[in-house]
Amino acid sequence: MHVVTVGTIALDSVKTPEAARHDQLGGSASYAALSASYFSPVHIVSIVGKDFPQEYLDFFRSRGIGTESIEVVEGGTFRWSGEYFDDMNTRETLSVAVNVLEQFKPRLERDARQAQMVLLANCSPDNQLEALAQVTAPSFVVADSMDLWINIARERLSQVLERTDLFVINDIEARMFMETKNTITAGHRLLELGPRHVVVKKGEHGALLFGQAGAFFSAAAYPLHEVRDPTGAGDSFAGGIAGYLAGLGKPQFAFEDLARAAVYGTVMASFNCESFSTDRLQALSRDEIETRFTDFQRYSRF
Amino acid sequence: MHVVTVGTIALDSVKTPEAARHDQLGGSASYAALSASYFSPVHIVSIVGKDFPQEYLDFFRSRGIGTESIEVVEGGTFRWSGEYFDDMNTRETLSVAVNVLEQFKPRLERDARQAQMVLLANCSPDNQLEALAQVTAPSFVVADSMDLWINIARERLSQVLERTDLFVINDIEARMFMETKNTITAGHRLLELGPRHVVVKKGEHGALLFGQAGAFFSAAAYPLHEVRDPTGAGDSFAGGIAGYLAGLGKPQFAFEDLARAAVYGTVMASFNCESFSTDRLQALSRDEIETRFTDFQRYSRF
């Protein structure tokens, strides 16, 4: 099963207590696609400016990621700059230059339209809905979002949720969105908005998967001694989920498939955090992924 | 196997956004002993004032908890008062009246001395060491502590650690104690101080168990829709661990035994949080505990 992912491609500048890097490959679609590409063929739907390095597009293709639906237009690529502090759990956005992203209208080429696994990575609900509408026969839809869209596009986000099989969101945003202090309550309330499954990401504390009829799964995070750059961890998580499920190639997924997918997602997110930008996601082997998955099984057995 | 636990018995006054309660049964030894009592016979070593309600002592005995090593002296019982805010994760201590606790010198009666499972619940390292010294033939020692002792009695706490099989501490305190921002690193460093195993408690995010030769286990928390009063959750957690292990009655414990013990600990902590003071821990059945343990297995299977 092919994955089509719509989202942002960015040039990120990131500062941590240890180091700083400028204009690195970033954006929700980049992380999500790279992560998914270890499990199945992927197509990216996004937009970049003429300043976007050709080497990154070549690199996507070298990983079997279709770039035909990435529009290249006059203007600057979307840029984000942020700084992480101290414990790497708090970050501050230093600057955002929307640039060409402002004119983004997803246009899916043939292969992208025919993908059955749809990953609506973090971008505006409008873009998510437009992309989804162009997929001929989606069999499973994973959607990610963030506080910005909850605040400024809540209604359109609700429309995304109605068409979503698995909605992914972080714990702070889930509680804010559902107006509760309790993460478990937030997960259950999100289910009532339409998605058949909800995953609440908790960063270093793992993730919670909520399903129909009280189905529930709690995944720990992989124990990391050092977090170098958590940018993109949530996107890698969503990408790992969509990619793994697509790789199964089933017409329907059991709750247990989704639980395993969530574990693959946390495994991919853990690799993501080990180095700056997409560095670690560029140089992985399927063996390394399976080893970490097996570790994970051992770490949660009792 | 009998459990002997040394710690505080308190009268707690707790305020939450929902309610307030005055002079309720509290203290580390109370919670720990009640929790452990569902798995094995327990003896409490502590001190109270003459104002301590006889009904609480009677209640301990009704749960098979030996009270012979609870000293009753002139003066007021140790009192703690605190308030929880908003998300129930942050609390503020409003007042502490040490009272008779100041003159506490653990004195273990015969049955308490002969217990083989020693639970050094949260109290001063001096009291923990004095109690431990009176146990004739301890086969397993669980110790809990808190920031206060890390700050004012670090050296004595280190002596406790050297004699501990399983050290229990919360994540913030573990990182503070080991001077690192990373919880995984903190767990490994704590092992180097002597304990054969370390459990780092993460509240609503579960707990991490570190063992010898890289052994590691991550337990999620039980998903609670509502947290009414988390006071004593850490003590109930430690009590569940010690009680469950004592109930196994083995001469030695495998890492898997400790992992299961940690899950029973989180189950007991989850009950603890469901109502004020020890209310929920007073009215449990072993069936309810096993049901939640089984839920827990299902929730972490993949």
Side-chain angles (χ1 to χ4, degrees):
Chain A
M1 203 183 271
H2 285 218
V3 177
V4 57
T5 184
V6 61
T8 61
I9 295 179
L11 294 172
D12 286 348
S13 297
V14 172
K15 199 167 175 297
T16 72
E18 264 188 12
R21 297 263 290 265
H22 186 65
D23 271 0
Q24 298 292 301
L25 178 58
S28 63
S30 303
Y31 282 104
L34 273 171
S35 177
S37 72
Y38 287 92
F39 304 92
S40 50
V42 183
H43 308 275
I44 293 186
V45 182
S46 194
I47 189 169
V48 295
K50 286 247 163 85
D51 62 344
F52 189 71
Q54 180 64 34
E55 60 173 290
Y56 289 149
L57 293 174
D58 294 341
F59 166 66
F60 281 140
R61 281 192 283 269
S62 76
R63 286 232 31 90
I65 298 171
T67 58
E68 295 76 12
S69 306
I70 300 177
E71 215 181 339
V72 185
V73 299
E74 290 295 336
T77 298
F78 171 49
R79 275 177 174 75
W80 176 83
S81 155
E83 178 166 2
Y84 290 87
F85 301 99
D86 234 20
D87 63 356
M88 302 300 286
N89 281 324
T90 43
R91 85 172 180 198
E92 196 180 293
T93 292
L94 299 175
S95 70
V96 177
V98 178
N99 296 338
V100 299
L101 195 58
E102 201 153 20
Q103 65 195 82
F104 181 35
K105 292 261 179 232
R107 254 186 299 200
L108 279 64
E109 300 301 320
R110 195 177 56 98
D111 288 347
R113 285 200 306 273
Q114 290 176 356
Q116 290 181 282
M117 174 64 64
V118 183
L119 172 51
L120 307 174
N122 183 25
C123 60
S124 84
D126 278 340
N127 287 335
Q128 292 179 321
L129 289 166
E130 281 174 54
L132 179 55
Q134 294 172 52
V135 180
T136 316
S139 78
F140 198 89
V141 179
V142 180
D144 194 359
S145 198
M146 70 183 292
D147 49 3
L148 174 66
W149 312 118
I150 297 171
N151 288 327
I152 71 170
R154 190 177 287 235
E155 205 165 313
R156 290 292 274 167
L157 180 57
S158 297
Q159 290 171 36
V160 173
L161 284 175
E162 284 166 21
R163 306 197 53 190
T164 294
D165 295 284
L166 178 67
F167 183 58
V168 177
I169 190 166
N170 87 28
D171 52 353
I172 296 168
E173 291 160 352
R175 292 193 299 265
M176 181 186 95
F177 193 8
M178 295 298 98
E179 294 173 356
T180 170
K181 307 285 181 190
N182 184 291
T183 306
I184 307 297
T185 303
H188 284 278
R189 286 193 191 160
L190 281 166
L191 280 179
E192 290 167 16
L193 297 186
R196 287 184 52 77
H197 305 90
V198 168
V199 173
V200 177
K201 298 173 285 181
K202 304 194 296 172
E204 62 165 330
H205 300 300
L208 308 175
L209 167 64
F210 301 82
Q212 297 299 303
F216 179 78
F217 171 69
S218 177
Y222 189 85
L224 285 180
H225 273 279
E226 191 173 8
V227 172
R228 282 217 182 75
D229 176 11
T231 310
D235 308 308
S236 302
F237 175 77
I241 289 179
Y244 171 75
L245 290 175
L248 290 181
K250 291 182 181 179
Q252 294 208 85
F253 301 114
F255 188 76
E256 208 172 87
D257 295 325
L258 298 178
R260 291 173 73 92
V263 172
Y264 275 105
T266 64
V267 164
M268 298 311 288
S270 75
F271 283 121
N272 179 102
C273 293
E274 286 183 344
S275 61
F276 264 88
S277 176
T278 57
D279 288 4
R280 192 74 178 90
L281 289 186
Q282 293 189 22
L284 272 177
S285 73
R286 187 64 195 256
D287 264 7
E288 287 177 293
I289 295 169
E290 292 305 325
T291 299
R292 200 162 277 197
F293 182 84
T294 310
D295 285 347
F296 211 97
Q297 288 185 304
R298 198 173 64 244
Y299 293 162
S300 40
R301 193 186 301 142
F302 66 93
Chain B
M1 201 183 273
H2 285 217
V3 177
V4 56
T5 183
V6 60
T8 62
I9 295 179
L11 294 172
D12 286 349
S13 296
V14 172
K15 200 167 175 298
T16 73
E18 265 187 15
R21 295 264 290 267
H22 186 66
D23 271 0
Q24 299 294 298
L25 178 58
S28 63
S30 303
Y31 283 103
L34 272 170
S35 177
S37 73
Y38 286 91
F39 305 92
S40 49
V42 183
H43 308 274
I44 292 186
V45 183
S46 194
I47 189 168
V48 295
K50 286 248 163 83
D51 61 344
F52 189 71
Q54 181 63 36
E55 60 173 291
Y56 291 149
L57 293 173
D58 294 342
F59 167 66
F60 282 140
R61 280 191 286 269
S62 76
R63 285 230 34 90
I65 297 171
T67 59
E68 295 77 11
S69 306
I70 300 175
E71 215 179 339
V72 184
V73 298
E74 291 293 339
T77 299
F78 171 49
R79 274 175 176 76
W80 176 83
S81 157
E83 179 167 1
Y84 290 87
F85 301 99
D86 235 23
D87 62 355
M88 303 298 287
N89 281 325
T90 43
R91 84 173 181 198
E92 196 180 292
T93 292
L94 299 175
S95 70
V96 176
V98 178
N99 295 338
V100 301
L101 195 57
E102 200 154 22
Q103 66 195 82
F104 181 34
K105 293 261 177 234
R107 254 186 297 201
L108 280 63
E109 300 302 319
R110 194 177 55 100
D111 288 347
R113 285 201 305 271
Q114 289 175 358
Q116 291 181 282
M117 174 63 64
V118 183
L119 172 51
L120 308 174
N122 184 24
C123 61
S124 82
D126 279 340
N127 288 336
Q128 292 180 320
L129 289 166
E130 279 173 55
L132 179 55
Q134 294 173 52
V135 180
T136 315
S139 79
F140 199 87
V141 179
V142 179
D144 193 359
S145 197
M146 70 183 292
D147 48 3
L148 175 67
W149 312 119
I150 296 170
N151 289 327
I152 71 172
R154 190 174 288 236
E155 205 166 313
R156 291 292 274 167
L157 179 56
S158 298
Q159 290 170 38
V160 173
L161 283 176
E162 284 166 21
R163 305 199 52 192
T164 294
D165 295 285
L166 178 66
F167 183 58
V168 177
I169 188 166
N170 86 29
D171 51 353
I172 297 168
E173 291 159 353
R175 291 192 298 265
M176 182 187 95
F177 194 7
M178 294 297 98
E179 296 173 354
T180 169
K181 307 287 181 189
N182 184 292
T183 306
I184 307 297
T185 303
H188 283 279
R189 286 192 191 160
L190 281 165
L191 280 179
E192 290 166 16
L193 297 186
R196 284 183 54 76
H197 305 89
V198 168
V199 174
V200 177
K201 299 174 285 183
K202 303 194 297 171
E204 61 165 330
H205 300 301
L208 307 175
L209 168 63
F210 301 83
Q212 297 297 305
F216 178 77
F217 172 68
S218 176
Y222 189 84
L224 284 181
H225 273 279
E226 194 172 5
V227 171
R228 281 216 183 76
D229 177 11
T231 310
D235 309 308
S236 302
F237 176 78
I241 289 178
Y244 171 75
L245 290 174
L248 291 180
K250 291 182 177 178
Q252 294 208 87
F253 302 115
F255 188 76
E256 207 170 87
D257 295 325
L258 298 177
R260 290 173 74 91
V263 172
Y264 275 104
T266 66
V267 164
M268 299 311 288
S270 75
F271 284 121
N272 179 100
C273 293
E274 286 184 342
S275 62
F276 263 88
S277 178
T278 57
D279 287 5
R280 192 72 179 92
L281 288 186
Q282 294 190 22
L284 273 177
S285 73
R286 186 64 194 256
D287 264 5
E288 288 177 293
I289 295 169
E290 293 304 326
T291 299
R292 199 161 277 196
F293 182 85
T294 309
D295 284 348
F296 210 98
Q297 287 185 303
R298 198 172 65 247
Y299 293 164
S300 39
R301 193 186 301 143
F302 68 89

